[in-house]
Amino acid sequence: MTTKNYIQIASITLLASVMFEITLLAGLAPVPEKIYHFLHIFLMLVLIVSQILLYKSLDKNKLTSKYALWFALGMGFTAIGDYVNGANSCIEPVSNKLTWALLLFGSGYVIYNFILWKHATNILAKTKTSLLKYKYYLAVPFIVINLISWMLHVEPNLNNPSLLYYGSFIFNLTIYVAMPLFAAWYYYGTGWSTRGLVIFIAAILIPYSDLVLFNSWMKNGSDPAVPSIQLYAYNWILYFGGQTLMSMLPSFIVMDETEN
């Protein structure tokens, strides 16, 4: 599995996913609920297996080659989170699903953020840019945006202070601030490259998908056993789009090394 192959497989998988969800939303081809949710897990498995194959093809003596394996592990955590959030799991209602999902997705996204932080920091160090001194100040706009978004679209839908209430607040101001921040570093450090833009878009889509999720699955304090397939589809298009694009990072890192 070459980096080019991985990017092509990920792109085709994303295309198939978006077409499937839109077809479903348009009512052109109804799918049984169980099959619908198993297809989501299958799509994640396609990316995970492809990431492992990418790792196996790379030079094992290089630290950066292990990023593909670490990414596969992170994606594994999020795939379990997808199962928990889906209608096929025995975890209900939605508030319980999302509470467990915080732990699972948090574990996966911490791995993503670590790899992104480490690589973006190395790139910025080589550029010797003045941004190095002020790079953490770039977190301020993301903190402000995330805080306002949480107060407007998440907090009103959580009736009582709970683990989900406080967990979502902390998650939003840590993991979801770090992800776009490090992605912005990478975008800048690679000279506003196309691959830097792809990762930055991914780092926006993933947090935004959760904003849509909380404001639709738990609208006005509702807490159903499972959301409707329509609500799942709205979230999945954004979420899987971000996941697929972000999963290209290990391939982009190998490309960055080849160019230097």
Side-chain angles (χ1 to χ4, degrees):
M1 176 75 69
T2 64
T3 55
K4 180 180 178 181
N5 290 152
Y6 181 85
I7 292 170
Q8 290 178 336
I9 289 173
S11 299
I12 292 170
T13 303
L14 176 57
L15 173 64
S17 175
V18 171
M19 289 180 66
F20 170 69
E21 300 294 335
I22 296 299
T23 299
L24 195 68
L25 287 171
L28 299 178
V31 175
E33 190 172 61
K34 284 186 177 293
I35 294 178
Y36 173 76
H37 291 283
F38 277 129
L39 282 173
H40 284 179
I41 304 303
F42 172 76
L43 290 172
M44 286 299 298
L45 288 176
V46 169
L47 296 182
I48 292 169
V49 171
S50 298
Q51 200 76 256
I52 293 173
L53 292 176
L54 174 63
Y55 162 73
K56 290 176 70 67
S57 71
L58 298 174
D59 184 354
K60 305 300 188 300
N61 295 320
K62 291 185 177 181
L63 174 63
T64 51
S65 70
K66 294 181 174 59
Y67 288 163
L69 187 61
W70 294 356
F71 231 89
L73 175 62
M75 294 173 73
F77 281 121
T78 63
I80 297 172
D82 292 328
Y83 173 75
V84 168
N85 276 348
N88 292 333
S89 76
C90 60
I91 299 175
E92 296 177 356
V94 165
S95 57
N96 286 340
K97 287 180 178 295
L98 297 183
T99 300
W100 281 104
L102 284 177
L103 174 62
L104 292 164
F105 285 102
S107 299
Y109 293 161
V110 164
I111 294 175
Y112 295 2
N113 282 348
F114 173 77
I115 295 172
L116 188 52
W117 166 78
K118 191 168 183 62
H119 186 60
T121 300
N122 289 339
I123 288 179
L124 287 178
K126 292 177 182 177
T127 62
K128 297 180 181 179
T129 174
S130 58
L131 179 66
L132 277 173
K133 189 182 299 184
Y134 307 104
K135 62 182 180 181
Y136 284 103
Y137 289 105
L138 292 177
V140 174
F142 296 120
I143 291 173
V144 172
I145 292 171
N146 285 12
L147 181 59
I148 293 174
S149 297
W150 186 87
M151 293 175 65
L152 291 177
H153 303 291
V154 179
E155 195 272 343
N157 298 313
L158 300 177
N159 289 324
N160 301 308
S162 61
L163 181 59
L164 181 59
Y165 182 97
Y166 294 113
S168 64
F169 179 79
I170 295 171
F171 197 108
N172 193 49
L173 290 183
T174 54
I175 293 173
Y176 277 167
V177 167
M179 187 177 287
L181 172 65
F182 301 155
W185 293 357
Y186 179 62
Y187 187 22
Y188 176 85
T190 54
W192 309 111
S193 66
T194 300
R195 55 182 177 268
L197 177 60
V198 167
I199 296 303
F200 186 71
I201 291 173
I204 299 300
L205 284 176
I206 290 175
Y208 184 64
S209 72
D210 264 3
L211 191 66
V212 171
L213 182 153
F214 272 93
N215 200 41
S216 58
W217 291 16
M218 302 192 72
K219 188 72 173 179
N220 298 322
S222 63
D223 194 10
V226 293
S228 66
I229 285 184
Q230 183 183 46
L231 293 183
Y232 272 116
Y234 290 144
N235 171 258
W236 183 262
I237 291 170
L238 295 169
Y239 159 77
F240 192 68
Q243 276 275 31
T244 307
L245 296 180
M246 185 62 76
S247 76
M248 296 179 185
L249 180 61
S251 296
F252 291 160
I253 290 175
V254 174
M255 292 178 178
D256 292 337
E257 284 194 327
T258 302
E259 288 185 357
N260 294 331

mmCIF file with all atom_site columns, all heavy atoms in Angstrom, residues 110-125:
data_model
loop_
_atom_site.group_PDB
_atom_site.id
_atom_site.type_symbol
_atom_site.label_atom_id
_atom_site.label_alt_id
_atom_site.label_comp_id
_atom_site.label_asym_id
_atom_site.label_entity_id
_atom_site.label_seq_id
_atom_site.pdbx_PDB_ins_code
_atom_site.Cartn_x
_atom_site.Cartn_y
_atom_site.Cartn_z
_atom_site.occupancy
_atom_site.B_iso_or_equiv
_atom_site.pdbx_formal_charge
_atom_site.auth_seq_id
_atom_site.auth_comp_id
_atom_site.auth_asym_id
_atom_site.auth_atom_id
_atom_site.pdbx_PDB_model_num
ATOM 1   N N   . VAL A 1 110 ? -7.063 12.169 20.662 1.00 0.00 ? 110 VAL A N   1
ATOM 2   C CA  . VAL A 1 110 ? -5.807 12.521 21.336 1.00 0.00 ? 110 VAL A CA  1
ATOM 3   C C   . VAL A 1 110 ? -4.625 11.983 20.533 1.00 0.00 ? 110 VAL A C   1
ATOM 4   O O   . VAL A 1 110 ? -3.594 12.655 20.390 1.00 0.00 ? 110 VAL A O   1
ATOM 5   C CB  . VAL A 1 110 ? -5.780 11.974 22.776 1.00 0.00 ? 110 VAL A CB  1
ATOM 6   C CG1 . VAL A 1 110 ? -4.359 11.985 23.339 1.00 0.00 ? 110 VAL A CG1 1
ATOM 7   C CG2 . VAL A 1 110 ? -6.677 12.815 23.679 1.00 0.00 ? 110 VAL A CG2 1
ATOM 8   N N   . ILE A 1 111 ? -4.769 10.771 19.988 1.00 0.00 ? 111 ILE A N   1
ATOM 9   C CA  . ILE A 1 111 ? -3.711 10.207 19.144 1.00 0.00 ? 111 ILE A CA  1
ATOM 10  C C   . ILE A 1 111 ? -3.540 11.041 17.882 1.00 0.00 ? 111 ILE A C   1
ATOM 11  O O   . ILE A 1 111 ? -2.415 11.375 17.483 1.00 0.00 ? 111 ILE A O   1
ATOM 12  C CB  . ILE A 1 111 ? -4.042 8.742  18.786 1.00 0.00 ? 111 ILE A CB  1
ATOM 13  C CG1 . ILE A 1 111 ? -4.012 7.872  20.048 1.00 0.00 ? 111 ILE A CG1 1
ATOM 14  C CG2 . ILE A 1 111 ? -3.049 8.205  17.741 1.00 0.00 ? 111 ILE A CG2 1
ATOM 15  C CD1 . ILE A 1 111 ? -4.448 6.436  19.826 1.00 0.00 ? 111 ILE A CD1 1
ATOM 16  N N   . TYR A 1 112 ? -4.651 11.410 17.249 1.00 0.00 ? 112 TYR A N   1
ATOM 17  C CA  . TYR A 1 112 ? -4.567 12.267 16.061 1.00 0.00 ? 112 TYR A CA  1
ATOM 18  C C   . TYR A 1 112 ? -3.831 13.571 16.400 1.00 0.00 ? 112 TYR A C   1
ATOM 19  O O   . TYR A 1 112 ? -2.932 13.997 15.665 1.00 0.00 ? 112 TYR A O   1
ATOM 20  C CB  . TYR A 1 112 ? -5.963 12.652 15.559 1.00 0.00 ? 112 TYR A CB  1
ATOM 21  C CG  . TYR A 1 112 ? -6.849 11.555 15.053 1.00 0.00 ? 112 TYR A CG  1
ATOM 22  C CD1 . TYR A 1 112 ? -6.463 10.215 15.059 1.00 0.00 ? 112 TYR A CD1 1
ATOM 23  C CD2 . TYR A 1 112 ? -8.111 11.851 14.550 1.00 0.00 ? 112 TYR A CD2 1
ATOM 24  C CE1 . TYR A 1 112 ? -7.300 9.226  14.583 1.00 0.00 ? 112 TYR A CE1 1
ATOM 25  C CE2 . TYR A 1 112 ? -8.960 10.860 14.065 1.00 0.00 ? 112 TYR A CE2 1
ATOM 26  C CZ  . TYR A 1 112 ? -8.560 9.554  14.104 1.00 0.00 ? 112 TYR A CZ  1
ATOM 27  O OH  . TYR A 1 112 ? -9.393 8.574  13.639 1.00 0.00 ? 112 TYR A OH  1
ATOM 28  N N   . ASN A 1 113 ? -4.243 14.180 17.493 1.00 0.00 ? 113 ASN A N   1
ATOM 29  C CA  . ASN A 1 113 ? -3.673 15.471 17.872 1.00 0.00 ? 113 ASN A CA  1
ATOM 30  C C   . ASN A 1 113 ? -2.185 15.374 18.188 1.00 0.00 ? 113 ASN A C   1
ATOM 31  O O   . ASN A 1 113 ? -1.411 16.269 17.853 1.00 0.00 ? 113 ASN A O   1
ATOM 32  C CB  . ASN A 1 113 ? -4.417 16.048 19.083 1.00 0.00 ? 113 ASN A CB  1
ATOM 33  C CG  . ASN A 1 113 ? -5.750 16.664 18.712 1.00 0.00 ? 113 ASN A CG  1
ATOM 34  O OD1 . ASN A 1 113 ? -6.033 16.872 17.529 1.00 0.00 ? 113 ASN A OD1 1
ATOM 35  N ND2 . ASN A 1 113 ? -6.570 16.951 19.693 1.00 0.00 ? 113 ASN A ND2 1
ATOM 36  N N   . PHE A 1 114 ? -1.796 14.275 18.843 1.00 0.00 ? 114 PHE A N   1
ATOM 37  C CA  . PHE A 1 114 ? -0.383 14.112 19.182 1.00 0.00 ? 114 PHE A CA  1
ATOM 38  C C   . PHE A 1 114 ? 0.468  14.039 17.921 1.00 0.00 ? 114 PHE A C   1
ATOM 39  O O   . PHE A 1 114 ? 1.508  14.701 17.820 1.00 0.00 ? 114 PHE A O   1
ATOM 40  C CB  . PHE A 1 114 ? -0.168 12.857 20.035 1.00 0.00 ? 114 PHE A CB  1
ATOM 41  C CG  . PHE A 1 114 ? 1.279  12.545 20.278 1.00 0.00 ? 114 PHE A CG  1
ATOM 42  C CD1 . PHE A 1 114 ? 2.008  13.273 21.209 1.00 0.00 ? 114 PHE A CD1 1
ATOM 43  C CD2 . PHE A 1 114 ? 1.927  11.543 19.558 1.00 0.00 ? 114 PHE A CD2 1
ATOM 44  C CE1 . PHE A 1 114 ? 3.359  13.011 21.420 1.00 0.00 ? 114 PHE A CE1 1
ATOM 45  C CE2 . PHE A 1 114 ? 3.268  11.268 19.765 1.00 0.00 ? 114 PHE A CE2 1
ATOM 46  C CZ  . PHE A 1 114 ? 3.986  11.999 20.697 1.00 0.00 ? 114 PHE A CZ  1
ATOM 47  N N   . ILE A 1 115 ? 0.039  13.225 16.959 1.00 0.00 ? 115 ILE A N   1
ATOM 48  C CA  . ILE A 1 115 ? 0.792  13.085 15.714 1.00 0.00 ? 115 ILE A CA  1
ATOM 49  C C   . ILE A 1 115 ? 0.830  14.415 14.961 1.00 0.00 ? 115 ILE A C   1
ATOM 50  O O   . ILE A 1 115 ? 1.882  14.833 14.455 1.00 0.00 ? 115 ILE A O   1
ATOM 51  C CB  . ILE A 1 115 ? 0.164  11.992 14.835 1.00 0.00 ? 115 ILE A CB  1
ATOM 52  C CG1 . ILE A 1 115 ? 0.301  10.626 15.521 1.00 0.00 ? 115 ILE A CG1 1
ATOM 53  C CG2 . ILE A 1 115 ? 0.804  11.958 13.445 1.00 0.00 ? 115 ILE A CG2 1
ATOM 54  C CD1 . ILE A 1 115 ? -0.454 9.500  14.829 1.00 0.00 ? 115 ILE A CD1 1
ATOM 55  N N   . LEU A 1 116 ? -0.305 15.086 14.897 1.00 0.00 ? 116 LEU A N   1
ATOM 56  C CA  . LEU A 1 116 ? -0.385 16.367 14.198 1.00 0.00 ? 116 LEU A CA  1
ATOM 57  C C   . LEU A 1 116 ? 0.484  17.411 14.881 1.00 0.00 ? 116 LEU A C   1
ATOM 58  O O   . LEU A 1 116 ? 1.208  18.164 14.219 1.00 0.00 ? 116 LEU A O   1
ATOM 59  C CB  . LEU A 1 116 ? -1.847 16.828 14.148 1.00 0.00 ? 116 LEU A CB  1
ATOM 60  C CG  . LEU A 1 116 ? -2.181 18.061 13.306 1.00 0.00 ? 116 LEU A CG  1
ATOM 61  C CD1 . LEU A 1 116 ? -1.642 17.929 11.889 1.00 0.00 ? 116 LEU A CD1 1
ATOM 62  C CD2 . LEU A 1 116 ? -3.689 18.272 13.285 1.00 0.00 ? 116 LEU A CD2 1
ATOM 63  N N   . TRP A 1 117 ? 0.444  17.456 16.212 1.00 0.00 ? 117 TRP A N   1
ATOM 64  C CA  . TRP A 1 117 ? 1.263  18.410 16.979 1.00 0.00 ? 117 TRP A CA  1
ATOM 65  C C   . TRP A 1 117 ? 2.742  18.164 16.750 1.00 0.00 ? 117 TRP A C   1
ATOM 66  O O   . TRP A 1 117 ? 3.505  19.103 16.484 1.00 0.00 ? 117 TRP A O   1
ATOM 67  C CB  . TRP A 1 117 ? 0.935  18.275 18.467 1.00 0.00 ? 117 TRP A CB  1
ATOM 68  C CG  . TRP A 1 117 ? 1.947  18.951 19.358 1.00 0.00 ? 117 TRP A CG  1
ATOM 69  C CD1 . TRP A 1 117 ? 2.059  20.287 19.618 1.00 0.00 ? 117 TRP A CD1 1
ATOM 70  C CD2 . TRP A 1 117 ? 3.016  18.310 20.083 1.00 0.00 ? 117 TRP A CD2 1
ATOM 71  N NE1 . TRP A 1 117 ? 3.124  20.527 20.462 1.00 0.00 ? 117 TRP A NE1 1
ATOM 72  C CE2 . TRP A 1 117 ? 3.720  19.328 20.757 1.00 0.00 ? 117 TRP A CE2 1
ATOM 73  C CE3 . TRP A 1 117 ? 3.418  16.985 20.222 1.00 0.00 ? 117 TRP A CE3 1
ATOM 74  C CZ2 . TRP A 1 117 ? 4.830  19.052 21.563 1.00 0.00 ? 117 TRP A CZ2 1
ATOM 75  C CZ3 . TRP A 1 117 ? 4.518  16.710 21.017 1.00 0.00 ? 117 TRP A CZ3 1
ATOM 76  C CH2 . TRP A 1 117 ? 5.205  17.723 21.686 1.00 0.00 ? 117 TRP A CH2 1
ATOM 77  N N   . LYS A 1 118 ? 3.167  16.909 16.842 1.00 0.00 ? 118 LYS A N   1
ATOM 78  C CA  . LYS A 1 118 ? 4.587  16.574 16.715 1.00 0.00 ? 118 LYS A CA  1
ATOM 79  C C   . LYS A 1 118 ? 5.115  16.920 15.341 1.00 0.00 ? 118 LYS A C   1
ATOM 80  O O   . LYS A 1 118 ? 6.184  17.531 15.204 1.00 0.00 ? 118 LYS A O   1
ATOM 81  C CB  . LYS A 1 118 ? 4.792  15.091 17.020 1.00 0.00 ? 118 LYS A CB  1
ATOM 82  C CG  . LYS A 1 118 ? 6.255  14.691 17.173 1.00 0.00 ? 118 LYS A CG  1
ATOM 83  C CD  . LYS A 1 118 ? 6.394  13.307 17.741 1.00 0.00 ? 118 LYS A CD  1
ATOM 84  C CE  . LYS A 1 118 ? 7.858  12.928 17.966 1.00 0.00 ? 118 LYS A CE  1
ATOM 85  N NZ  . LYS A 1 118 ? 8.528  13.819 18.935 1.00 0.00 ? 118 LYS A NZ  1
ATOM 86  N N   . HIS A 1 119 ? 4.360  16.562 14.313 1.00 0.00 ? 119 HIS A N   1
ATOM 87  C CA  . HIS A 1 119 ? 4.836  16.820 12.952 1.00 0.00 ? 119 HIS A CA  1
ATOM 88  C C   . HIS A 1 119 ? 4.783  18.305 12.606 1.00 0.00 ? 119 HIS A C   1
ATOM 89  O O   . HIS A 1 119 ? 5.728  18.841 12.016 1.00 0.00 ? 119 HIS A O   1
ATOM 90  C CB  . HIS A 1 119 ? 4.003  16.023 11.957 1.00 0.00 ? 119 HIS A CB  1
ATOM 91  C CG  . HIS A 1 119 ? 4.511  16.118 10.549 1.00 0.00 ? 119 HIS A CG  1
ATOM 92  N ND1 . HIS A 1 119 ? 5.780  15.711 10.179 1.00 0.00 ? 119 HIS A ND1 1
ATOM 93  C CD2 . HIS A 1 119 ? 3.940  16.604 9.408  1.00 0.00 ? 119 HIS A CD2 1
ATOM 94  C CE1 . HIS A 1 119 ? 5.957  15.928 8.884  1.00 0.00 ? 119 HIS A CE1 1
ATOM 95  N NE2 . HIS A 1 119 ? 4.856  16.467 8.399  1.00 0.00 ? 119 HIS A NE2 1
ATOM 96  N N   . ALA A 1 120 ? 3.692  18.964 12.983 1.00 0.00 ? 120 ALA A N   1
ATOM 97  C CA  . ALA A 1 120 ? 3.571  20.398 12.678 1.00 0.00 ? 120 ALA A CA  1
ATOM 98  C C   . ALA A 1 120 ? 4.644  21.198 13.403 1.00 0.00 ? 120 ALA A C   1
ATOM 99  O O   . ALA A 1 120 ? 5.199  22.154 12.845 1.00 0.00 ? 120 ALA A O   1
ATOM 100 C CB  . ALA A 1 120 ? 2.182  20.894 13.070 1.00 0.00 ? 120 ALA A CB  1
ATOM 101 N N   . THR A 1 121 ? 4.958  20.821 14.645 1.00 0.00 ? 121 THR A N   1
ATOM 102 C CA  . THR A 1 121 ? 6.004  21.505 15.406 1.00 0.00 ? 121 THR A CA  1
ATOM 103 C C   . THR A 1 121 ? 7.354  21.360 14.720 1.00 0.00 ? 121 THR A C   1
ATOM 104 O O   . THR A 1 121 ? 8.128  22.324 14.622 1.00 0.00 ? 121 THR A O   1
ATOM 105 C CB  . THR A 1 121 ? 6.090  20.949 16.837 1.00 0.00 ? 121 THR A CB  1
ATOM 106 O OG1 . THR A 1 121 ? 4.837  21.147 17.495 1.00 0.00 ? 121 THR A OG1 1
ATOM 107 C CG2 . THR A 1 121 ? 7.174  21.656 17.631 1.00 0.00 ? 121 THR A CG2 1
ATOM 108 N N   . ASN A 1 122 ? 7.658  20.158 14.238 1.00 0.00 ? 122 ASN A N   1
ATOM 109 C CA  . ASN A 1 122 ? 8.928  19.926 13.537 1.00 0.00 ? 122 ASN A CA  1
ATOM 110 C C   . ASN A 1 122 ? 9.019  20.757 12.270 1.00 0.00 ? 122 ASN A C   1
ATOM 111 O O   . ASN A 1 122 ? 10.075 21.312 11.940 1.00 0.00 ? 122 ASN A O   1
ATOM 112 C CB  . ASN A 1 122 ? 9.070  18.441 13.198 1.00 0.00 ? 122 ASN A CB  1
ATOM 113 C CG  . ASN A 1 122 ? 9.315  17.587 14.419 1.00 0.00 ? 122 ASN A CG  1
ATOM 114 O OD1 . ASN A 1 122 ? 9.757  18.078 15.457 1.00 0.00 ? 122 ASN A OD1 1
ATOM 115 N ND2 . ASN A 1 122 ? 9.026  16.295 14.320 1.00 0.00 ? 122 ASN A ND2 1
ATOM 116 N N   . ILE A 1 123 ? 7.919  20.865 11.552 1.00 0.00 ? 123 ILE A N   1
ATOM 117 C CA  . ILE A 1 123 ? 7.912  21.647 10.309 1.00 0.00 ? 123 ILE A CA  1
ATOM 118 C C   . ILE A 1 123 ? 8.115  23.132 10.605 1.00 0.00 ? 123 ILE A C   1
ATOM 119 O O   . ILE A 1 123 ? 8.911  23.813 9.948  1.00 0.00 ? 123 ILE A O   1
ATOM 120 C CB  . ILE A 1 123 ? 6.596  21.428 9.540  1.00 0.00 ? 123 ILE A CB  1
ATOM 121 C CG1 . ILE A 1 123 ? 6.563  20.034 8.923  1.00 0.00 ? 123 ILE A CG1 1
ATOM 122 C CG2 . ILE A 1 123 ? 6.425  22.477 8.441  1.00 0.00 ? 123 ILE A CG2 1
ATOM 123 C CD1 . ILE A 1 123 ? 5.299  19.723 8.162  1.00 0.00 ? 123 ILE A CD1 1
ATOM 124 N N   . LEU A 1 124 ? 7.420  23.639 11.628 1.00 0.00 ? 124 LEU A N   1
ATOM 125 C CA  . LEU A 1 124 ? 7.570  25.055 11.978 1.00 0.00 ? 124 LEU A CA  1
ATOM 126 C C   . LEU A 1 124 ? 8.992  25.365 12.434 1.00 0.00 ? 124 LEU A C   1
ATOM 127 O O   . LEU A 1 124 ? 9.529  26.441 12.153 1.00 0.00 ? 124 LEU A O   1
ATOM 128 C CB  . LEU A 1 124 ? 6.574  25.428 13.086 1.00 0.00 ? 124 LEU A CB  1
ATOM 129 C CG  . LEU A 1 124 ? 5.104  25.540 12.678 1.00 0.00 ? 124 LEU A CG  1
ATOM 130 C CD1 . LEU A 1 124 ? 4.248  25.876 13.893 1.00 0.00 ? 124 LEU A CD1 1
ATOM 131 C CD2 . LEU A 1 124 ? 4.907  26.586 11.589 1.00 0.00 ? 124 LEU A CD2 1
ATOM 132 N N   . ALA A 1 125 ? 9.617  24.428 13.138 1.00 0.00 ? 125 ALA A N   1
ATOM 133 C CA  . ALA A 1 125 ? 10.983 24.632 13.618 1.00 0.00 ? 125 ALA A CA  1
ATOM 134 C C   . ALA A 1 125 ? 11.951 24.782 12.446 1.00 0.00 ? 125 ALA A C   1
ATOM 135 O O   . ALA A 1 125 ? 12.910 25.561 12.507 1.00 0.00 ? 125 ALA A O   1
ATOM 136 C CB  . ALA A 1 125 ? 11.405 23.466 14.506 1.00 0.00 ? 125 ALA A CB  1
#
